[in-house]
């Protein structure tokens, strides 16, 4: 799905796929790749409402990686 992001850049599932990738890397124990994937997710959602629960959860998960 992430490889097709240029096809439909406004698809709402793309940021969620990016978040899933970040979580998968975290589960594998690859914190470096996980941090990058989280940062990419945050870049996609930079203008999102900060009160969105999934964004808050992602920020908490990211904080645990540091």
């Amino acid at each position: 799905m992430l490889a097709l992001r240029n096809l439909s850049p406004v698809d709402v599932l793309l940021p969620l796929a990016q978040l899933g990738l970040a979580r998968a890397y975290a589960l594998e124990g690859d914190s470096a790749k996980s941090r990058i994937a989280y940062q990419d997710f945050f870049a996609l959602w930079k203008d999102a409402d900060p009160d969105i629960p999934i964004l808050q959860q992602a920020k908490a998960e990211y904080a645990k990686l540091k």
Side-chain angles (χ1 to χ4, degrees), residues 1 8-18 41 44-45:
M1 177 153 201
S8 180
V10 295
D11 191 341
V12 297
L13 296 178
L14 289 174
L16 298 179
Q18 188 67 42
F41 168 73
L44 290 170
W45 273 26

Side-chain angles (χ1 to χ4, degrees), residues 2-3 6 9 20-21 34 51 58:
L2 291 172
N6 292 332
L21 182 63
S34 182
D51 294 330

Side-chain angles (χ1 to χ4, degrees), residues 4 8-9 12 15 18-19 23-24 27-33 37 39 43 46-48 53-54 56 58-59:
L4 300 174
S8 180
V12 297
Q18 188 67 42
L19 178 58
R23 290 174 171 169
L27 287 173
E28 287 181 343
D30 193 338
S31 59
K33 285 183 179 179
Q39 290 167 359
K46 67 180 183 284
D47 297 326
I54 197 163
Q56 292 175 341
K59 287 181 179 181

